[in-house]
Amino acid sequence: ARVYQRSIEIVRALLRGETVDDDGHYAFTGARVRPLPINPDGIPFWMGALEDAGVERAARAGDAWIMPPGHRLDQLVAQRARFASTRAEAGLPPVREQPLRREAFVAESDDAAWRLFAPGIRHEYGKVYRPLHPSYPDHDTLDALRRWGEDLFVVGSPETVAAELRRYEEEIGAT
């Protein structure tokens, strides 16, 4: 965590236009970034984290926490509260942006969307990321995937997807 924190400090200094020397984990002299960002407030530093300790680190060191795609809504609600309280305890203002990563698929109807999206879920979550999702259904029928994917994916007709995105905005402030 010490190397990670120092790296964040170095990147922020570089983006402010400073010339940086460091003899820590990565030793260098005279590092600088050109051209500099044109935003007078600098570049927002968005940080990702899966576990609570990382969410707290992102709250203290970043300008936003990128909520991960593999967490269900109830976990995001809890971690979003942890993020906000950690910032408050550190005397930092609330974030202006709250990015959310989500698997999404839109088709002409909810049934069509799930039918077309299911092969990708079966590969990505049933094979590639299965160790991270032990609750993935052994019998991954379309109905089983729909039940399992509740509060995990945003899938359906344009109306359904729009309603789901509004729900994420209302419940966790997703921008």
Side-chain angles (χ1 to χ4, degrees), residues 73-89:
L73 184 57
D74 60 340
Q75 186 175 6
L76 292 175
V77 167
Q79 286 186 317
R80 177 68 178 94
R82 178 180 295 271
F83 179 84
S85 66
T86 301
R87 285 187 69 80
E89 289 167 9

Side-chain angles (χ1 to χ4, degrees), residues 107-121:
E108 65 277 358
S109 70
D110 292 354
D111 289 338
W114 277 100
R115 188 178 67 255
L116 293 167
F117 189 51
I121 294 172

